[in-house]
Amino acid sequence: MPQPERSLDDTVSMRAWFGVELRNWRKARGLSTAALGRKVQLSKTSVERIEKAERSCNAKLAAAFDDALQAGGALRRLWRRVEDGANSGNDADSTAKIERVHRIAPAPPGRLGNDQSLPLEPPVERRAFLAAGGVAATSFSDLVPHLTGDLPKSVRPQDIAQIRVAARDHASWDNRFGGGGLVRARAIGQLMWATNLLHVTCPPKLEPELFSAVGALASVMGASAFDAYEHDHAAQLFDLSVQCAEHSDNWHLRARALNWRSRQATWRGAPDSGLTYAEMGLVRADRLTSREKAMLHGARARAFAQMGDRQATLAAIGSGDDAFANTRDGEDAEWMAYYDYAQHHGDTGHAAFDIALLPGQSPDFAATRLRIATRHHTDAYVRSRSLSGTKLATLTMHRGDPQEAVLIAHRALDEMGQLRSQRAITDVRALATASAKYAVRPEVAGLRERIRTTVLP
């Protein structure tokens, strides 16, 4: 009888992290170590030793694993991080478990504006984590240094509760008003304070909760930055959220962060990267809820649609529908409440929109989904309702019904007046372009003038 595989610890070193991800991808593809070895011309034992970080890998072999497992570049990129970590001294490639010992010393003068104590030498895996993810907080520190607030000497449950409340409140503001203006400025200080807590002594039993809470806030703020087209900050924040999720073994947070990373990449014209992030999120789908799986399949659909692959887009939408049909009340984290019936149809409708504009394609499938989204989104999700409404108006204009398109567009623009969303403005520009061939019609001319004077000054 075959022996069960030994569990792996990805916190030991960067190479151990690579080994865990290699095993995850192998299992996701349903391959044994022997089957994978045949694909890359290695023995079964060699593959097992690489997964356990007992045998060295290299860039060429990592690329071979990536190709064999159809990982879309995920293993190539991770191995580059392993090499970067080794070159910078962040990777401690020992087989011994890293001790979680914190030595406290006074903070450098002026760092926090007070004399609170910070860890002088946190555990090596946290040191590597902060080196990779701490840039998000650093990039904001020059903007509002007076908002960092006093840090406790040791993390307490009430500190983690404050971060969770901040994430929930910011998500609510972001959904109603978009990612620009006061919405982002209001949360910058909260994020700085939260990320600085990662430097503070933390009881081991609270550490997973702390990292999960900081990761959730980073994900929410990344979504706001994405909406405001602060793309570099958004990417840093999503990466910080993924790292927090992996550090705390929170697969649900990891799925959420990779979903946003995927959507941002696709939106920016890199659908191949978008697909990679979405599929990374689905690597251990058995650990995710049905709603989370539906969300990630929606991200896959958007990536395929931007690639112009109609068949793959429809297949991904179908997979998302199947997953969403199995959702159950009470199984999801609070942050997944947004992904309801309306959001699912909106997300998949946006993917269907892209393929509806391909030559010879019918717009009906996309239009139906977008119409459901606009009807069922509540006032708590004004931005989502406005985005779906604008897409529906654009699609209706392309379909050759400018009169109906104008009615839909005005409803979307009524709501857009309270938003600070660059994504919404981009979609309105697409609507203005689609309406150009009907510009001589009085109702279309009126819509175009409204767009010119109120939305696109």
Side-chain angles (χ1 to χ4, degrees):
M1 172 179 280
Q3 296 296 313
E5 290 182 321
R6 188 187 79 191
S7 61
L8 304 178
D9 184 355
D10 60 4
T11 68
V12 172
S13 67
M14 293 292 287
R15 271 183 20 192
W17 184 12
F18 179 84
V20 170
E21 288 301 309
L22 176 61
R23 177 182 286 187
N24 287 341
W25 278 102
R26 175 175 62 78
K27 288 187 172 182
R29 298 304 184 223
L31 296 177
S32 65
T33 51
L36 177 57
R38 286 193 293 271
K39 287 178 176 288
V40 297
Q41 298 181 350
L42 283 180
S43 68
K44 169 180 179 291
T45 301
S46 293
V47 174
E48 290 172 351
R49 292 187 65 202
I50 291 172
E51 290 183 350
K52 297 174 185 176
E54 295 173 353
R55 180 191 190 279
S56 182
C57 189
N58 56 50
K60 183 177 179 180
L61 185 53
F65 281 133
D66 195 278
D67 291 340
L69 295 169
Q70 297 179 316
L75 292 173
R76 282 181 169 89
R77 287 190 291 272
L78 182 54
W79 185 255
R80 285 199 294 271
R81 293 189 65 178
V82 174
E83 291 179 331
D84 291 343
N87 292 335
S88 65
N90 282 335
D91 188 25
D93 263 331
S94 66
T95 57
K97 175 70 177 175
I98 300 166
E99 294 183 341
R100 296 176 179 268
V101 178
H102 297 247
R103 294 191 299 201
I104 308 300
R111 177 166 182 183
L112 298 175
N114 57 35
D115 60 356
Q116 298 291 337
S117 295
L118 292 176
L120 175 65
E121 190 171 334
V124 66
E125 82 276 14
R126 183 184 275 193
R127 229 177 20 241
F129 166 82
L130 292 169
V135 65
T138 304
S139 62
F140 290 119
S141 61
D142 293 334
L143 300 178
V144 282
H146 58 289
L147 293 179
T148 54
D150 293 335
L151 293 171
K153 292 183 178 180
S154 180
V155 176
R156 304 159 297 183
Q158 57 264 42
D159 300 318
I160 297 171
Q162 286 186 60
I163 300 171
R164 288 174 176 154
V165 170
R168 183 172 62 247
D169 289 350
H170 184 68
S172 177
W173 274 64
D174 181 59
N175 286 321
R176 292 178 60 194
F177 301 111
L182 179 63
V183 176
R184 282 195 66 217
R186 178 176 180 265
I188 287 173
Q190 295 169 335
L191 178 67
M192 290 173 59
W193 185 83
T195 53
N196 277 324
L197 276 183
L198 300 179
H199 296 267
V200 174
T201 302
C202 182
K205 66 179 181 180
L206 291 181
E207 189 167 290
E209 295 183 45
L210 172 63
F211 274 81
S212 291
V214 173
L217 180 58
S219 180
V220 170
M221 282 210 63
S224 282
F226 170 24
D227 196 53
Y229 281 10
E230 295 285 344
H231 285 300
D232 289 342
H233 285 168
Q236 291 168 356
L237 288 163
F238 294 144
D239 287 345
L240 172 61
S241 184
V242 171
Q243 291 157 8
C244 283
E246 292 178 342
H247 189 89
S248 58
D249 200 27
N250 189 330
W251 288 81
H252 308 291
L253 176 60
R254 181 178 183 272
R256 179 194 188 188
L258 287 170
N259 166 69
W260 275 113
R261 196 72 164 93
S262 169
R263 289 166 193 271
Q264 185 199 25
T266 298
W267 182 275
R268 299 186 72 187
D272 187 67
S273 294
L275 181 60
T276 297
Y277 287 123
E279 294 195 338
M280 283 174 65
L282 286 164
V283 163
R284 286 301 305 271
D286 58 304
R287 298 187 177 186
L288 305 181
T289 68
S290 294
R291 201 179 303 269
E292 290 162 348
K293 286 183 277 192
M295 171 186 71
L296 287 162
H297 282 302
R300 291 177 62 244
R302 286 194 175 197
F304 281 128
Q306 196 171 101
M307 294 176 188
D309 190 333
R310 178 181 178 275
Q311 185 175 355
T313 301
L314 293 176
I317 291 174
S319 296
D321 288 348
D322 291 342
F324 192 80
N326 292 318
T327 57
R328 299 190 305 272
D329 292 339
E331 69 174 349
D332 288 281
E334 182 182 15
W335 61 61
M336 283 301 296
Y338 88 98
Y339 200 86
D340 55 9
Y341 180 77
Q343 187 67 38
H344 177 68
H345 281 81
D347 277 2
T348 52
H350 282 255
F353 173 92
D354 288 339
I355 59 173
L357 300 182
L358 296 174
Q361 301 302 316
S362 169
D364 293 343
F365 179 66
T368 297
R369 296 215 162 211
L370 292 169
R371 194 172 291 111
I372 289 172
T374 57
R375 286 176 180 170
H376 289 272
H377 271 305
T378 67
D379 290 341
Y381 300 100
V382 171
R383 179 181 57 198
S384 294
R385 187 165 63 196
S386 177
L387 289 170
S388 290
T390 304
K391 286 286 191 184
L392 179 59
T394 303
L395 192 60
T396 305
M397 199 74 75
H398 278 292
R399 192 169 56 183
D401 189 354
Q403 186 173 2
E404 176 66 15
V406 167
L407 293 175
I408 298 169
H410 278 302
R411 287 196 294 268
L413 291 173
D414 287 343
E415 296 186 318
M416 201 169 290
Q418 61 183 300
L419 291 174
R420 292 291 300 271
S421 170
Q422 290 298 318
R423 283 193 293 158
I425 289 175
T426 296
D427 281 352
V428 170
R429 287 195 174 105
L431 171 61
T433 300
S435 68
K437 65 179 179 180
Y438 301 108
V440 297
R441 298 178 62 129
E443 68 274 23
V444 176
L447 172 65
R448 290 170 61 81
E449 179 63 15
R450 182 182 181 187
I451 291 173
R452 187 185 69 81
T453 59
T454 64
V455 181
L456 305 177

